[in-house]
Amino acid sequence: MPSRSELANAIRALSMDAVQQAKSGHPGAPMGMADIAEVLWNDYLRHNPANPNWADRDRFVLSNGHGSMLLYSLLHLTGYDLPIEELKNFRQLHSKTPGHPEYGYAPGVETTTGPLGQGVTNAVGMAVAEKVLAAQFNQEGHDIVDHYTYTFLGDGCLMEGISHEACSLAGTLGLGKLICFYDDNGISIDGEVEGWFTDDTPKRFEAYGWQVISNVDGHDSNAIIEAIEAARADTSRPTIICCKTVIGKGSPNKQGKEECHGAPLGADEVALVRETIGWDHGPFFVPSDVYGGWSAKEKGAALEAEWNERFDAYAEAHPDLAVEYARRLAGDLPETFEADANAYIAKLQEEGAVVASRKASQNCLNTFGPLLPELLGGSADLAGSNLTLWSGSKGVTADDASGNYLFYGVREFGMTAIMNGIALHGGFVPYGATFLMFMEYARNAVRMAALMKQRSILVYTHDSIGLGEDGPTHQPVEQMTALRATPNLHIWRPCDTVESAVSWKEALEYIDGPSALIFSRQGLAHQQRTEQQVADIARGGYVLSDCEGDPDAILIATGSEVQLAIDAKTELEQSGRKVRVVSMPSTTVFDQQDVLYRESVLPSDVLARVAVEAGHRDFWYKYVGIDGRIVGMDSFGESAPAKDLMEHFGFTVTNVVAAVEDCLDV
């Protein structure tokens, strides 16, 4: 049986070889953390390489994702479907081993990491999901949800502010099955971190309410084992194990220096590493006994088989819960949901209530919430404004995690990345809310949700200058344009209760990415529709109000400006103009429709087009053309009552009518 150092050296060798062959990459972190990884993966991590999606596996997150060859080496060595050819193809087009771990490329990669701080925050989300799922499903004598979340992180992750947001909340929630390994090597890209990072990290985490295990020799297997045992013994608090390591361990001339952080070691140094660590093998060669020492196939199969037996016993004792657990882990909505949701939408169309769309959103939650136990909501300290609490909401706490609502506090970025972790874990559909303006704090986590195609629902209220007196600091202008430019992200800005309900339904059913639901503070008028028009809302854009024959002009509007377009149409018709009004609650979904449908809504031979939206105007040229007109924003807002602001910035019937007439006069 190979020694622990031989097993760890396999990681070092594969990592430096892959980076050298790619002529780019980060060998330092994999070489420095190899000893920690060897102990964790061989002695503690419960996983099955033959089934990377086993529900009760431990989750492993490499938050310092630039060290991706550490993860790829581990997956390859332990027996995942990641052959040596993929390691040789590191950082090349269409390989399963991109420069940073990308979710969905290689089996066993639990999340996309690289933007520092977000990996550990995803891990917090996974630990939240484990704790809540366990509280909801485990029964006396039947612990079917019982796994750990482990994460590696470095100085860069701890310097990023999001790590404070996430780790602070993790301590408050008592995430006792979250164990973090801090790679304290004192080096970042610019050199020795003592020039810009002198935090007392142990005291910082003690203040969060974590168990802190300090000054662990990250190259001493016995010390690492002792630390992990202590971490697992405390189930009431998350643990951070602060490991002193040498970056690039084994490189005689570059270890401990920034030179090995983000560049190949060079052929001469690679040869010296082989000599230094006693690795007498060529590039990408691993001896069979080392593979045997690493293989987790047999152990993993036994672990999953044992869990399957326990789940069978659970299913016999609690058949309804077992069926529900399987449904939720599969990500399927209840069979009756679509019919129930459609009945609710039809009822709203009949009732015709006039309310703010943020209130319409809360009404949807009160209706859909009892149907969907997988909903796990929250708000960044704005629940009373976002209206994300519904009648069945119950807060998740350290002592009672059986609830369905997370009070995230003022942590927009952390909230969004935690939601990504919850979605990745499975068993929940997370939603979280803030003002649309403060999406900016969370922007990169929104992008990561879209990049990973995760179903999470981003609730953004106070969607325009219509929020009024809080002024331009709180009034979004350019945010919808940024969101609409994001691949895989569906954006909905509904105009009334009916469109709000359709938006929620579509977001819940969309499984290939996140959805942003954008709601107003002010009351919105109800729009009359036929049954077909109601059905067409789900297509993103539809003809809300038409004219006899071919239109002279088309008005396109969203959200609170739809009624303004309807009013402008009424006035234009009095002067003999034939006008069509198109409501476009989701431009992203509309763009995915077939060309015949899009042409039926926006016929290409009608060139007189005017878009009306209280957001940045430039986005709308794709629909109105260069000769069209846009009633929108090209400046920041002001502080005043909403009615005064709308008039000041030109969101009036008179101005919309003038824009149409100007367009027709060309």
Side-chain angles (χ1 to χ4, degrees):
M1 177 69 181
S3 66
R4 286 191 182 274
S5 61
E6 287 178 283
L7 295 175
N9 284 339
I11 296 174
R12 294 186 171 99
L14 289 173
S15 297
M16 69 178 183
D17 287 344
V19 172
Q20 188 65 30
Q21 179 147 309
K23 298 182 175 60
S24 70
H26 300 75
M31 296 174 74
M33 299 193 79
D35 298 305
I36 306 169
E38 188 279 321
V39 171
L40 177 63
W41 278 63
N42 279 326
D43 290 21
Y44 292 97
L45 194 73
R46 291 169 52 88
H47 63 118
N48 183 6
N51 182 11
N53 297 318
W54 170 32
D56 205 42
R57 69 191 181 279
D58 290 339
R59 270 60 170 182
F60 176 79
V61 175
L62 184 69
S63 188
N64 45 344
H66 54 270
S68 56
M69 269 310 304
L70 173 65
L71 180 54
Y72 299 146
S73 298
L74 289 164
L75 295 171
H76 169 71
L77 290 167
T78 55
Y80 285 80
D81 184 16
L82 193 67
I84 196 70
E85 287 74 22
E86 291 293 348
L87 274 62
K88 292 178 180 179
N89 211 22
F90 179 54
R91 285 181 161 237
Q92 305 309 303
L93 184 64
H94 302 315
S95 77
K96 294 182 179 180
T97 52
H100 291 84
E102 301 283 355
Y103 179 77
Y105 282 57
V109 175
E110 299 282 4
T111 181
T112 299
T113 57
L116 294 177
Q118 288 200 62
V120 65
T121 308
N122 294 165
V124 170
M126 293 174 188
V128 167
E130 189 277 339
K131 183 166 184 170
V132 176
L133 204 66
Q136 293 181 356
F137 281 96
N138 287 350
Q139 300 295 311
E140 186 174 354
H142 297 279
D143 290 338
I144 59 160
V145 182
D146 184 14
H147 52 267
Y148 283 84
T149 301
Y150 299 100
T151 183
F152 284 4
L153 68 157
D155 295 304
C157 291
L158 293 177
M159 283 186 258
E160 290 286 359
I162 190 175
S163 70
H164 163 74
E165 295 183 28
C167 295
S168 169
L169 186 59
T172 298
L173 293 175
L175 302 180
K177 290 186 178 176
L178 173 65
I179 299 176
C180 300
F181 295 83
Y182 166 33
D183 181 29
D184 185 8
N185 59 35
I187 296 292
S188 66
I189 292 175
D190 284 349
E192 297 181 5
V193 299
E194 62 185 14
W196 47 87
F197 184 56
T198 57
D199 297 13
D200 189 330
T201 296
K203 286 185 178 178
R204 170 184 165 187
F205 277 79
E206 286 172 4
Y208 293 154
W210 287 50
Q211 176 185 205
V212 177
I213 302 173
S214 302
N215 295 313
V216 175
D217 184 344
H219 304 296
D220 182 336
S221 299
N222 291 328
I224 297 164
I225 290 170
E226 185 178 342
I228 295 174
E229 290 292 335
R232 289 164 60 95
D234 188 340
T235 58
S236 65
R237 296 179 295 172
T239 297
I240 184 168
I241 301 173
C242 301
C243 299
K244 292 290 185 180
T245 64
V246 177
I247 190 171
K249 176 74 170 175
S251 173
N253 296 308
K254 296 186 177 182
Q255 68 177 20
K257 302 175 182 178
E258 66 271 17
E259 296 171 60
C260 66
H261 171 86
L265 298 178
D268 291 342
E269 189 70 11
V270 166
L272 287 175
V273 173
R274 282 189 153 75
E275 182 179 334
T276 300
I277 67 176
W279 190 259
D280 301 324
H281 313 291
F284 297 104
F285 181 82
V286 178
S288 58
D289 64 331
V290 174
Y291 273 126
W294 269 109
S295 178
K297 290 181 178 180
E298 185 176 338
K299 183 171 67 173
L303 286 169
E304 184 173 357
E306 185 272 335
W307 181 83
N308 286 337
E309 289 180 7
R310 288 193 285 117
F311 187 78
D312 289 343
Y314 175 80
E316 185 174 346
H318 305 281
D320 292 343
L321 282 175
V323 170
E324 179 69 1
Y325 175 82
R327 178 188 71 78
R328 285 176 53 175
L329 264 293
D332 298 329
L333 297 180
E335 290 182 3
T336 61
F337 174 73
E338 181 159 1
D340 290 340
N342 287 338
Y344 176 64
I345 292 165
K347 178 185 175 186
L348 290 174
Q349 183 61 45
E350 184 178 337
E351 290 176 347
V354 177
V355 298
S357 55
R358 63 170 174 161
K359 180 62 179 176
S361 170
Q362 186 180 49
N363 292 342
C364 289
L365 284 169
N366 277 316
T367 300
F368 296 158
L371 307 174
L372 301 170
E374 56 263 57
L375 278 180
L376 184 56
S379 174
D381 202 50
L382 286 168
S385 293
N386 299 145
L387 302 184
T388 46
L389 284 167
W390 57 282
S391 58
S393 293
K394 175 185 175 183
V396 173
T397 67
D399 296 329
D400 182 2
S402 64
N404 58 6
Y405 194 88
L406 292 161
F407 291 91
Y408 283 104
V410 187
R411 299 180 176 99
E412 296 88 354
F413 193 5
M415 172 183 71
T416 310
I418 287 170
M419 287 166 57
N420 290 345
I422 291 170
L424 287 159
H425 179 280
F428 296 98
V429 178
Y431 69 91
T434 186
F435 288 178
L436 177 56
M437 183 67 248
F438 303 133
M439 177 278 296
E440 295 289 359
Y441 283 124
R443 181 74 181 93
N444 198 258
V446 175
R447 183 177 186 271
M448 295 298 285
L451 183 63
M452 293 188 284
K453 299 182 178 180
Q454 290 303 296
R455 176 168 55 179
S456 62
I457 300 176
L458 312 163
V459 178
Y460 296 133
T461 67
H462 296 62
D463 65 352
S464 69
I465 57 171
L467 72 86
E469 293 86 346
D470 277 341
T473 60
H474 284 52
Q475 293 166 1
V477 172
E478 71 276 25
Q479 283 63 41
M480 283 186 287
T481 295
L483 289 170
R484 286 165 174 155
T486 306
N488 305 325
L489 174 62
H490 284 184
I491 300 94
W492 293 88
R493 187 175 185 243
C495 74
D496 65 0
T497 61
V498 177
E499 285 192 0
S500 296
V502 172
S503 300
W504 261 107
K505 176 179 179 288
E506 292 301 308
L508 288 161
E509 293 179 340
Y510 177 47
I511 61 173
D512 291 323
S515 298
L517 307 183
I518 298 173
F519 298 121
S520 71
R521 178 187 183 225
Q522 67 272 33
L524 302 183
H526 173 73
Q527 302 300 327
Q528 293 298 322
R529 300 175 183 85
T530 65
E531 187 175 338
Q532 184 59 52
Q533 286 174 312
V534 172
D536 286 343
I537 296 172
R539 306 190 76 166
Y542 63 104
V543 178
L544 175 63
S545 180
D546 214 351
C547 57
E548 291 290 334
D550 296 331
D552 299 322
I554 299 175
L555 280 166
I556 310 169
T558 78
S560 52
E561 288 70 68
V562 168
Q563 183 60 47
L564 177 58
I566 292 290
D567 292 342
K569 167 186 162 71
T570 300
E571 184 163 319
L572 285 161
E573 287 177 335
Q574 292 174 358
S575 58
R577 299 296 195 184
K578 294 191 293 182
V579 178
R580 169 180 291 183
V581 174
V582 171
S583 177
M584 197 174 288
S586 179
T587 62
T588 49
V589 173
F590 180 75
D591 288 348
Q592 295 170 2
Q593 304 306 306
D594 61 82
V595 65
L596 290 177
Y597 179 76
R598 285 183 279 123
E599 178 69 16
S600 72
V601 176
L602 297 175
S604 53
D605 58 352
V606 181
L607 302 180
R609 300 182 183 187
V610 176
V612 188
E613 184 178 65
H616 198 274
R617 62 197 310 274
D618 285 1
F619 167 81
W620 288 99
Y621 282 112
K622 66 183 290 186
Y623 297 108
V624 302
I626 198 68
D627 294 322
R629 303 291 183 271
I630 301 163
V631 179
M633 299 289 294
D634 55 12
S635 69
F636 293 116
E638 297 285 350
S639 177
K643 183 176 181 297
D644 295 344
L645 289 171
M646 288 297 185
E647 184 172 349
H648 174 75
F649 286 103
F651 295 98
T652 64
V653 171
T654 299
N655 198 39
V656 174
V657 167
V660 173
E661 294 290 2
D662 186 50
C663 203
L664 287 168
D665 288 343
V666 172

